[in-house]
Amino acid sequence: MHRMSPEMQSCIDECLRCYQSCYGMAMTHCLEQGGKHVEPEHFRLMMACAEICKASANFMLMNSPHHKHTCRECAEICEECARSCEQVGDMQDCVDACRRCAESCRRMAA
């Protein structure tokens, strides 16, 4: 089995936490709150964030050299999602998870 660096394992962990946070919050908190929480642009961004986080984790787990590309895009989408969640309000767990993931993914993309 491939041994990965502690940095990569940390990034995988952050990606999976962000995936869980965005997807879980969208499907429970946002759908239950309604209003600005489910406006198409915000809701799609949360789904895109969850999906790119999952994809980035998968690329790192399969030891693909393309993980640098997915991580770069993941960092960008996570930052955008954090800003959107901050503007909507009452979503600090998602904001924090997105920012941690973005920071970790930027390091992996370097």
Side-chain angles (χ1 to χ4, degrees):
M1 185 170 154
H2 170 269
R3 299 240 335 125
M4 67 184 63
S5 70
E7 294 82 12
M8 185 176 283
Q9 183 60 59
S10 175
C11 191
I12 291 167
D13 294 343
E14 291 298 344
C15 285
L16 293 176
R17 274 192 284 274
C18 192
Y19 163 75
Q20 183 176 5
S21 179
C22 285
Y23 193 82
M25 189 162 268
M27 291 299 142
T28 57
H29 177 78
C30 289
L31 288 177
E32 291 164 6
Q33 292 294 313
K36 59 188 175 181
H37 289 272
V38 291
E39 287 179 359
E41 186 177 344
H42 172 71
F43 201 81
R44 282 189 195 111
L45 181 56
M46 288 189 75
M47 292 293 91
C49 188
E51 289 300 319
I52 193 67
C53 287
K54 185 169 64 169
S56 291
N58 286 340
F59 272 67
M60 288 182 278
L61 285 166
M62 69 174 82
N63 197 31
S64 169
H66 296 285
H67 78 271
K68 290 181 181 268
H69 306 297
T70 58
C71 285
R72 187 172 301 113
E73 188 63 22
C74 188
E76 186 177 321
I77 292 173
C78 283
E79 281 296 342
E80 191 176 332
C81 189
R83 284 191 300 271
S84 181
C85 289
E86 210 164 42
Q87 288 173 346
V88 167
D90 194 29
M91 300 183 70
Q92 195 59 46
D93 288 346
C94 194
V95 171
D96 294 342
C98 285
R99 292 219 165 107
R100 283 191 308 268
C101 186
E103 183 180 324
S104 187
C105 278
R106 273 192 294 276
R107 286 193 302 267
M108 286 310 301

